[in-house]
Amino acid sequence: MKHKERKKERYLRDPLPIRLAGLAADLARVSSSARHESGSASVEEMLEESQYYIEWTAAEAEPDVAAELVDMQRMIGLWRKSWPEAQKNNTQRTLLSVQAKKWSDQVLGFSGLLAE
């Protein structure tokens, strides 16, 4: 990830709900980009960024939310590893797109911002 330390510093300035919403937005971008062959190049970078966002956030989350985030992080890692091959397959791209949308919705729910 480019400028990792700067991103981390900036990301950690926000309160937890805003960070979770940022992670949700990142995952929504993965969902959108994974659907299309032309967006495949940026997907791996966004997956990596999402993993870092989880790493920087999970420690401050409630234990049940942190556990879900860590599970998500593991699955994202598997997608990153398989993405060079998976991106060539429309079914695999669609599968990641659906999964990333589900994660995005889940994380947005964790943020509590929808209830406000």
Side-chain angles (χ1 to χ4, degrees):
M1 178 166 63
K2 294 178 185 177
H3 313 290
K4 179 179 153 189
E5 286 307 312
R6 273 195 294 184
K7 281 189 180 188
K8 180 179 181 179
E9 184 179 310
R10 170 65 190 100
Y11 187 74
L12 292 175
R13 281 188 217 146
D14 289 327
L16 183 61
I18 301 300
R19 282 187 266 156
L20 288 168
L23 171 59
D26 215 42
L27 292 167
R29 285 189 293 276
V30 169
S31 176
S32 177
S33 296
R35 267 185 239 137
H36 310 288
E37 249 181 282
S38 62
S40 292
S42 61
V43 168
E44 190 171 356
E45 186 174 317
M46 287 185 284
L47 289 170
E48 179 185 24
E49 186 174 79
S50 294
Q51 283 187 292
Y52 280 116
Y53 287 169
I54 291 170
E55 178 183 321
W56 301 334
T57 300
E60 293 180 41
E62 294 294 322
D64 56 329
V65 171
E68 290 289 332
L69 291 172
V70 170
D71 285 345
M72 233 179 259
Q73 187 180 40
R74 277 189 230 130
M75 292 300 297
I76 291 168
L78 292 172
W79 273 109
R80 274 186 66 207
K81 185 176 182 177
S82 66
W83 188 244
E85 245 347 272
Q87 68 182 329
K88 299 172 189 172
N89 182 298
N90 187 50
T91 302
Q92 291 295 308
R93 286 195 318 273
T94 301
L95 185 60
L96 175 57
S97 177
V98 169
Q99 182 64 65
K101 175 67 169 114
K102 180 181 172 189
W103 287 331
S104 176
D105 292 345
Q106 187 178 12
V107 172
L108 190 56
F110 292 157
S111 76
L113 295 175
L114 294 177
E116 293 180 4

